[in-house]
Amino acid sequence: MKLTSYWLDTSEPFSGGAKGPIEGTYDVAVIGGGLTGSSAALALAKKGARVIMLEAETIGHAASGRNGAMCNNGFAQDYGVMSDKLGRETADRLYRAFDAGVDMVERLVAEEGIDCSFARVGKIKLAAKPEHYDKLARGQELLAAHVDPDTHMVRREDLASEIGSDRYYGGLVYRQSAAMHVGRFVRGLAEAAARRGVAIHERTPMTGLTAAPGGGHLVSSPKGRLTARQVLLASGISQVGPLGWIRRRIVPVGAFLIVTEPLSVDLLDRLIPRRRNAVDTKNLVNYFRTTPDNRLLFGGRARFAVSNPASDEKSGAILRAALHDVYPELCNTRIDYCWGGMVDMTRDRLPRAGERNGIYYSMGYSGHGTQMSTLMGTIMAEVMDGRAALNPWKDFAWPAIPGHFGRPWFLPLVGAYYRIKDRLQ
């Protein structure tokens, strides 16, 4: 069993890196080489900007290469709750922004010729308890009436057409959702940006960010210092560099995944016949899907803990037990990959993007960023070009989380709280 991301292990390493020291003057410095940074750098380069992108590790190393690669439309929260909280007009606008994110991924895959197995397979949200089905059905009525007619309910007696498991009580299908090989996608975006002249430096963390005399910003790194007229932080929960203001507003939460050995087509036809992305309704959520080479990926919030090899193995054991609960016939199936990654979670589980003290940022995708990060990278290129009204999160305040200073000391308490909720609700 490899303790590494399946997506990164089965995609070609990024080959378009710049050589030499960091120096010179640029229109934009992008900090972070994940989906947000790579899509932003590509969009900025298409506008004719001189762009440099600094990545502390390698392209896609963090959340962008460690997720379930589900490109799901709509936000994670209950649509009715969001409509009551934000107002229907705002809820509809945000819901459609996530839809636009899936469209943006599909467009970039086609325009840049990225071989990442993108497919509109749809998503099914599975009711973990009978009462969860009733809640899903109420939400689907509102969705179909106001913002997403491409949804429908599947009753428990009909669920075999979607999932070969007796564990669930029905589900809600979102037909616009997609799946892809996210490692090949994020590295493909970076290669496309490099082809358009973006200077991309891997293993180059930002270590300093200050105002430059006469305007702009000075960006420091172990390889040298540059001047940029604008800076975009696409760094997520990075613990590297002078990002204390952001760290007080984002909670890094571990997400863990396992991937089986390749399975026969006949077996997959029984387990997940339509090859949809699947996610359940628990607070400590489980999600699963097939991979392009016929494996089954199974992930979730197995533990509220940081990701490291020992933690990943413990979480992998929990996920293996959950996999066997959903699919008992996989009890003797080999697990080939097990890994973890850190999700940049905001307090309300909605992204944040904007500008502060002349520095632009977009992050906080809260576990649903594969499509939104790609969309927001592209949108932030427009925002930095003077079109701030395009930012769907421009009116959202972002206060610091009380008692949080960057290290998530409270995660075990949060995990215990959600385990209790899952038992009681």
Side-chain angles (χ1 to χ4, degrees):
M1 184 175 70
K2 294 184 178 182
L3 295 176
T4 188
S5 165
Y6 162 84
W7 306 119
L8 298 179
D9 192 54
T10 57
S11 57
E12 291 296 321
F14 172 66
S15 62
K19 309 297 183 184
I22 303 296
E23 59 187 6
T25 300
Y26 294 83
D27 295 314
V28 183
V30 177
I31 311 303
L35 289 167
T36 303
S38 296
S39 58
L42 175 60
L44 288 160
K46 287 179 177 179
K47 286 177 163 289
R50 186 167 188 250
V51 183
I52 187 170
M53 185 165 75
L54 307 185
E55 165 53 44
E57 296 291 343
T58 56
I59 296 299
H61 172 82
S64 293
R66 295 176 177 273
N67 54 67
M70 295 182 179
C71 197
N72 291 330
N73 73 301
F75 38 64
Q77 297 88 336
D78 179 82
Y79 171 76
V81 171
M82 293 296 283
S83 295
D84 291 342
K85 180 180 178 181
L86 302 174
R88 183 180 297 166
E89 183 178 340
T90 298
D92 287 358
R93 176 171 56 82
L94 297 183
Y95 191 99
R96 291 190 177 104
F98 279 88
D99 288 356
V102 184
D103 294 341
M104 178 61 70
V105 171
E106 186 173 39
R107 192 187 91 192
L108 289 172
V109 167
E111 288 180 353
E112 303 302 331
I114 301 173
D115 181 11
C116 64
S117 304
F118 179 91
R120 295 265 189 172
V121 295
K123 177 185 81 169
I124 183 165
K125 192 163 190 177
L126 296 161
K129 295 183 179 181
E131 56 270 29
H132 293 185
Y133 180 87
D134 296 335
K135 183 178 180 181
L136 287 176
R138 291 192 298 271
Q140 191 273 331
E141 268 192 65
L142 293 173
L143 280 173
H146 300 295
V147 72
D148 194 348
D150 288 331
T151 56
H152 69 269
M153 296 300 298
V154 180
R155 297 174 300 176
R156 189 180 194 189
E157 54 265 36
D158 301 321
L159 200 56
S161 66
E162 295 282 351
I163 299 293
S165 172
D166 296 328
R167 176 65 185 79
Y168 299 107
Y169 297 87
L172 165 56
V173 171
Y174 300 75
R175 286 196 289 267
Q176 294 185 45
S177 295
M180 65 176 170
H181 190 302
V182 74
R184 293 171 187 164
F185 178 61
V186 67
R187 288 172 170 172
L189 283 179
E191 297 284 5
R195 288 195 299 270
R196 285 170 172 78
V198 177
I200 300 177
H201 292 264
E202 295 184 300
R203 296 185 174 87
T204 309
M206 177 186 71
T207 55
L209 179 59
T210 58
H217 309 275
L218 293 175
V219 180
S220 301
S221 80
K223 295 183 181 179
R225 190 168 70 169
L226 64 96
T227 302
R229 182 173 58 86
Q230 295 177 311
V231 172
L232 173 64
L233 298 180
S235 47
I237 51 86
S238 175
Q239 298 296 312
V240 179
L243 303 174
W245 185 84
I246 286 170
R247 293 189 190 112
R248 290 202 61 198
R249 287 155 172 81
I250 285 182
V251 177
V253 175
F256 303 93
L257 303 96
I258 55 175
V259 171
T260 70
E261 63 183 305
L263 306 177
S264 71
V265 172
D266 287 345
L267 178 55
L268 288 176
D269 285 345
R270 293 200 307 273
L271 301 181
I272 188 162
R274 298 182 189 273
R275 305 299 194 267
R276 297 201 198 278
N277 302 330
V279 58
D280 67 25
T281 54
K282 294 188 294 186
N283 291 292
L284 295 178
V285 63
N286 287 318
Y287 50 87
F288 48 98
R289 53 157 293 190
T290 58
T291 67
D293 58 350
N294 291 335
R295 303 169 186 265
L296 188 71
L297 175 149
F298 196 94
R301 307 278 185 268
R303 299 163 62 244
F304 273 69
V306 298
S307 173
N308 58 51
S311 180
D312 292 354
E313 282 202 84
K314 290 179 182 178
S315 300
I318 294 171
L319 289 173
R320 187 194 299 255
L323 169 65
H324 296 165
D325 180 50
V326 175
Y327 291 126
E329 61 187 296
L330 296 182
C331 283
N332 296 318
T333 299
R334 189 180 70 240
I335 303 299
D336 282 352
Y337 290 88
C338 172
W339 76 94
M342 302 307 291
V343 174
D344 50 337
M345 194 80 71
T346 62
R347 195 174 182 181
D348 61 5
R349 298 179 65 199
L350 292 174
R352 292 297 189 276
E355 176 269 334
R356 178 179 180 270
N357 295 338
I359 305 294
Y360 294 85
Y361 61 87
S362 183
M363 57 192 68
Y365 305 115
S366 302
H368 295 270
T370 303
Q371 71 285 1
M372 182 52 69
S373 58
T374 305
L375 177 72
M376 286 308 302
T378 308
I379 284 178
M380 290 309 293
E382 300 296 331
V383 171
M384 298 169 80
D385 199 24
R387 304 180 70 189
L390 294 178
N391 177 9
W393 313 103
K394 61 183 175 61
D395 297 324
F396 282 73
W398 199 11
I401 299 171
H404 177 45
F405 299 95
R407 297 293 178 181
W409 57 269
F410 44 80
L411 283 186
L413 300 176
V414 175
Y417 169 73
Y418 282 126
R419 279 191 290 273
I420 292 171
K421 284 192 72 174
D422 277 335
R423 283 198 295 267
L424 298 178
Q425 298 179 353

